[in-house]
């Protein structure tokens, strides 16, 4: 992709009063698209991009990410090409007819089956203590990847009533997430390896998950671990699917009240939590049969 266009686009977003977070995510999405074009299509000139390239890219994203993440990346591309067209850098907008996914129709398919859950847990174990601990935290605590990356050692309480304190959430509030025994065990096994590291930046780090080259494993590093598990097991997997499975398991198996689930997930609005609830035919019949007088 020709140097300068993305930077020019970032300046435009700033002038249009987009938030710093949105600008960062849009620019990141475009950099990823740029790398994909070069790697897969051998294209490095933005002016020859057509509808097909964007559509093919969207299809590649669908196999890796949650619908919301795919939509964010596609929205970034659509906004970028609309900007390029308005500035007469391209004659037509190739993204104009590209559609985003309907999230409401996809949420039901995001739940992992029991066999899929066991498969990814087994695969993560084979990959090592850190991948397994990360998977268990995502799967059994329902955290966002950004929250996993931000876990500090002093926010973990693993002895009596194991609990994780999640700080600095969207509204700068803390929430307390109970840690089940299997996840406590996974974290403890990783801590033994992490604390034995002789690397100075690991010794001074107060983050739970460190990287090979730094004090902290970032959000993208966590996503890559999940992607590696997905690829090895040939399962459609992403961090949001693990979070959805956590929520669905609590709803279906533990009958958790939605207000408590909302607090566990860190949702600002309980209506957001409602997206995780999908009634199966078994659920419907179970309740309707109670009305029978025979």
């Amino acid at each position: 992709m020709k140097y300068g266009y993305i930077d020019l686009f970032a300046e435009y977003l700033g002038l249009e009063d987009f938030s710093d977070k949105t600008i960062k995510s849009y620019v990141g999405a475009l950099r990823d698209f740029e790398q994909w074009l070069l790697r897969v299509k051998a294209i490095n000139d933005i002016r020859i991009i057509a509808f097909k390239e964007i559509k093919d890219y969207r299809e590649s994203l669908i196999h890796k990410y949650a619908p919301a993440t795919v939509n964010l990346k596609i929205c970034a591309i659509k906004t970028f090409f609309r900007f390029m067209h308005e500035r007469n850098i391209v004659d037509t907008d190739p993204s104009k007819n590209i559609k985003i996914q309907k999230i409401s129709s996809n949420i039901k398919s995001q739940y992992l089956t029991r066999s899929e859950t066991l498969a990814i847990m087994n695969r993560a174990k084979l990959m090592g203590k850190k991948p397994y601990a990360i998977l268990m935290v995502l799967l059994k605590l329902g955290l966002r990847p950004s929250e996993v990356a931000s876990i500090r050692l002093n926010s973990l309480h693993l002895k009596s009533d194991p609990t994780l304190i999640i700080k600095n959430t969207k509204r700068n509030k803390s929430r307390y997430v109970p840690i089940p025994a299997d996840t406590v065990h996974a974290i403890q096994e990783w801590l033994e390896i992490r604390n034995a590291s002789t690397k100075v930046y690991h010794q001074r780090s107060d983050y739970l998950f460190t990287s090979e080259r730094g004090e902290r494993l970032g959000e993208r590093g966590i996503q890559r671990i999940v992607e590696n598990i997905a690829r090895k097991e040939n399962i459609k997997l992403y961090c949001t699917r693990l979070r959805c499975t956590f929520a669905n398991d609590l709803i279906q198996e533990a009958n958790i009240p939605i207000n408590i689930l909302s607090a566990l997930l860190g949702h600002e609005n309980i209506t957001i939590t409602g997206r995780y609830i999908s009634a199966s035919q078994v659920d419907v019949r179970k309740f309707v049969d109670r009305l029978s007088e025979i």
Side-chain angles (χ1 to χ4, degrees), residues 153-165 176 179 184:
L153 297 175
N154 61 9
S155 67
L156 278 170
H157 303 276
L158 301 178
K159 293 184 179 179
S160 59
D161 296 325
T163 305
L164 171 65
I165 303 173
Y176 297 82
I179 310 175
V184 170

Side-chain angles (χ1 to χ4, degrees), residues 96-111:
K96 184 177 180 180
N97 294 323
I98 294 289
K99 297 179 180 179
I100 62 174
Q101 290 185 280
K102 293 181 179 180
I103 295 178
S104 59
S105 63
N106 284 283
I107 198 74
K108 198 171 183 178
S109 65
Q110 288 188 41
Y111 309 140

Side-chain angles (χ1 to χ4, degrees), residues 51-221:
F51 172 84
K52 186 179 187 307
E53 280 72 43
I54 303 175
K55 183 179 179 181
D56 288 348
Y57 182 59
R58 184 188 61 187
E59 292 304 309
S60 73
L61 294 175
I62 289 173
H63 294 291
K64 291 183 178 180
Y65 300 106
T69 301
V70 174
N71 287 347
L72 185 148
K73 291 178 179 293
I74 295 302
C75 282
I77 292 171
K78 288 174 73 69
T79 305
F80 173 71
F81 278 106
R82 185 166 61 247
F83 159 78
M84 294 285 282
H85 185 232
E86 289 174 354
R87 294 297 175 92
N88 296 316
I89 299 172
V90 294
D91 293 333
T92 59
D93 178 358
S95 70
K96 184 177 180 180
N97 294 323
I98 294 289
K99 297 179 180 179
I100 62 174
Q101 290 185 280
K102 293 181 179 180
I103 295 178
S104 59
S105 63
N106 284 283
I107 198 74
K108 198 171 183 178
S109 65
Q110 288 188 41
Y111 309 140
L112 290 165
T113 64
R114 178 60 177 166
S115 62
E116 288 176 328
T117 299
L118 292 174
I120 63 172
M121 287 172 62
N122 183 61
R123 175 57 62 180
K125 271 187 179 181
L126 295 174
M127 292 170 63
K129 303 296 186 184
K130 181 164 71 174
Y132 182 61
I134 288 172
L135 178 74
M136 292 298 286
V137 168
L138 289 165
L139 180 64
K140 297 301 183 77
L141 303 188
L143 302 189
R144 305 174 179 95
S146 59
E147 293 171 335
V148 177
S150 300
I151 296 175
R152 296 177 183 269
L153 297 175
N154 61 9
S155 67
L156 278 170
H157 303 276
L158 301 178
K159 293 184 179 179
S160 59
D161 296 325
T163 305
L164 171 65
I165 303 173
I166 302 294
K167 301 177 181 178
N168 299 322
T169 52
K170 293 181 180 179
R171 299 184 65 181
N172 200 29
K173 291 183 178 181
S174 298
R175 73 182 193 273
Y176 297 82
V177 181
I179 310 175
D182 54 0
T183 309
V184 170
H185 183 66
I187 292 172
Q188 287 174 332
E189 287 197 324
W190 158 241
L191 280 174
E192 289 180 10
I193 296 175
R194 181 221 180 283
N195 294 339
S197 174
T198 58
K199 296 178 180 178
V200 175
Y201 46 79
H202 287 172
Q203 293 175 353
R204 71 188 181 196
S205 175
D206 61 350
Y207 288 99
L208 172 61
F209 295 112
T210 53
S211 72
E212 293 297 321
R213 299 183 179 87
E215 299 181 22
R216 175 190 178 192
L217 180 65
E219 182 177 349
R220 186 67 191 113

